Amino acid sequence: MLKPGSTIGILGGGQLGRMLALSAARLGLHCHIYSPEKDSGAFEVVRASTCAAYDDEVALAKFANSVDVITYEFENIPAKTAAFLAKRKPVYPDPHVLELTQDRLIEKNFIDGLKIAVAPYAPVHSASQLMKGIEKVGLPAVLKTTTMGYDGKGQIKIMPGDDANAAWRKLKNAPCILEGFVNFEREVSVVAARSADGKVECFEVTENEHRDHILKISTVPAKVSPALATEAKRIATKIAKAFDYVGVLAVEMFVVKAQEKGKAKQAVLVNEIAPRVHNSGHWTIDGATVSQFEQHIRAVAGWPLARPIRLGRKVEMINLIGAEVHDLADWLATPGTSVHLYGKTEARAGRKMGHVTRVYPK
Ligand code: AMP
């Protein structure tokens, strides 16, 4: 268990690192942010920061020497960086998790291997595999690059009659995964924390609405049956255990209509795993007795987790994307609303500038 006053090193300097550091400060823990980007929003809320490339071994060694444990807010940390640091200080979650989640195909194989339902999928490394994949999963389908995709980048929907090869060319013939298009009823996620001694605490199932492939609104409670909520949490717990995970992870899922003995019911398919705190868990800062950020800090510090309890009959998190941040004055004047801005100066289209949380009283 880290003593108060210890220092947690965080790789990545975006809003997730910033909110982790703010939570750590409340618990009397210091953070040292390591990020290659000069204008990282997390730098301004910590007392130590390093702005250097992920392959700068001199800077990495110095960083490792100055902290007690290391974590990350960004899953595309190069494997070599994580391995270099892990030789010097404990890194949580263990870097093997990065290898399993940085590549969509490896991740899907892993989930499938746990006997957890996913959309039908096939690897695409050649034109002939693309054709075979279409035969297997059918159309419409979604072609996704196996690495570096986020917020809908690196993916194309292929409709019946479309030129599938042209879609793949648009993705620069990169290694891909073809997924059957899921006609989902809604999208949900489970944010789960696992402590160093293996205890798991899940936040409530959260319902997520995307606009232009970017998360726009998260709502709790989600409109799912109690049985589905239990199943969704069971899946997230199973994944956290299988990874021997320490920290917070998020599992994004599709809710689909299914039939059981002639009766309609909801079923769940896992879409993807984020080995970090997640945008769909931001509501927990104002809407629960413990936030996802604090749970992550507790876990990597070797502290016990808290059992989260929701505040309010309903909680909504609304992302302020691009120019929406200019509605600030309205949000500041809305009762029951908390505003969070990430310290970014340029409101570029599609950029997450902040979020607001609305807690509806019980
Ligand atoms: P991803 O980057 O895999 O999280 O995908 C981003 C968003 O695209 C998801 O949240 C869904 O809204 C949509 N999407 C991704 N994969 C599929 C799929 N196989 N079927 C239907 N919609 C999908």
Side-chain angles (χ1 to χ4, degrees):
M1 216 178 131
L2 288 189
K3 289 197 182 68
S6 304
T7 302
I8 298 174
I10 301 177
L11 299 168
Q15 61 266 24
L16 301 179
R18 178 175 166 114
M19 290 186 273
L20 282 169
L22 291 170
S23 272
R26 234 176 52 148
L27 298 176
L29 293 160
H30 306 301
C31 288
H32 181 156
I33 299 283
Y34 189 109
S35 166
E37 277 131 44
K38 276 205 305 298
D39 60 349
S40 293
F43 285 161
E44 58 190 280
V45 302
V46 290
R47 69 172 187 183
S49 56
T50 301
C51 187
Y54 285 127
D55 60 0
D56 181 341
E57 295 195 343
V58 175
L60 287 172
K62 213 167 146 203
F63 167 73
N65 277 336
S66 75
V67 302
D68 297 292
V69 293
I70 297 170
T71 187
Y72 39 88
E73 59 112 53
F74 165 69
E75 65 270 47
N76 285 315
I77 303 293
K80 217 174 144 202
T81 307
F84 180 88
L85 293 169
K87 283 202 205 109
R88 287 159 178 81
K89 284 289 155 70
V91 177
Y92 301 121
D94 188 280
H96 83 275
V97 172
L98 292 174
E99 280 162 44
L100 291 171
T101 52
Q102 280 174 349
D103 182 300
R104 287 184 191 272
L105 189 58
I106 295 173
E107 182 177 287
K108 276 272 168 10
N109 286 336
F110 184 83
I111 303 168
D112 191 44
L114 293 176
K115 308 237 173 317
I116 294 170
V118 292
Y121 68 98
V124 175
H125 296 112
S126 65
S128 71
Q129 268 189 332
L130 178 57
M131 291 308 129
K132 274 198 204 126
I134 292 173
E135 269 169 43
K136 180 179 168 195
V137 311
L139 290 177
V142 188
L143 187 65
K144 304 179 178 179
T145 57
T146 55
T147 60
M148 295 308 241
Y150 69 99
D151 286 349
K153 295 187 175 70
Q155 54 178 278
I156 296 180
K157 187 171 173 185
I158 304 176
M159 299 299 291
D162 282 356
D163 179 350
N165 276 310
W168 193 37
R169 273 198 302 279
K170 264 198 196 150
L171 296 175
K172 305 203 165 54
N173 295 72
C176 279
I177 178 172
L178 185 74
E179 290 179 14
F181 185 80
V182 179
N183 203 359
F184 54 79
E185 182 188 294
R186 57 194 76 242
E187 290 189 84
V188 298
S189 57
V190 174
V191 175
R194 187 166 182 271
S195 60
D197 63 357
K199 295 203 176 73
V200 176
E201 289 290 349
C202 294
F203 287 96
E204 264 177 283
V205 178
T206 304
E207 184 158 342
N208 302 316
E209 224 179 283
H210 295 82
R211 292 208 192 129
D212 302 325
H213 290 279
I214 301 172
L215 181 65
K216 180 60 192 159
I217 302 175
S218 288
T219 310
V220 278
K223 287 202 182 83
V224 295
S225 65
L228 186 118
T230 303
E231 174 62 3
K233 288 186 190 174
R234 187 192 67 82
I235 287 171
T237 304
K238 189 170 185 181
I239 291 171
K241 283 190 183 155
F243 280 157
D244 198 17
Y245 202 84
V246 176
V248 163
L249 59 71
V251 183
E252 293 182 54
M253 308 175 194
F254 299 126
V255 177
V256 293
K257 287 197 180 78
Q259 288 284 325
E260 196 177 66
K261 295 182 189 140
K263 270 197 182 157
K265 64 166 218 165
Q266 291 177 317
V268 78
L269 302 176
V270 168
N271 175 28
E272 66 174 358
I273 304 168
R276 53 171 170 75
V277 285
H278 191 253
N279 196 169
S280 67
H282 289 3
W283 67 269
T284 61
I285 302 177
D286 307 295
T289 48
V290 65
S291 74
Q292 62 163 348
F293 301 99
E294 178 171 334
Q295 291 288 65
H296 187 78
I297 294 295
R298 285 176 179 234
V300 303
W303 293 14
L305 301 175
R307 172 140 305 168
I309 298 169
R310 170 168 33 104
L311 307 169
R313 78 187 135 80
K314 171 175 148 178
V315 183
E316 227 173 38
M317 187 287 311
I318 301 154
N319 269 336
L320 302 179
I321 299 166
E324 287 167 1
V325 72
H326 302 315
D327 300 335
L328 177 61
D330 291 344
W331 286 117
L332 288 170
T334 306
T337 301
S338 312
V339 177
H340 300 254
L341 297 183
Y342 307 147
K344 301 179 186 180
T345 38
E346 209 190 324
R348 285 197 297 273
R351 195 170 194 213
K352 290 175 181 168
M353 303 299 292
H355 71 268
V356 298
T357 316
R358 302 186 78 165
V359 177
Y360 295 77
K362 285 203 171 157

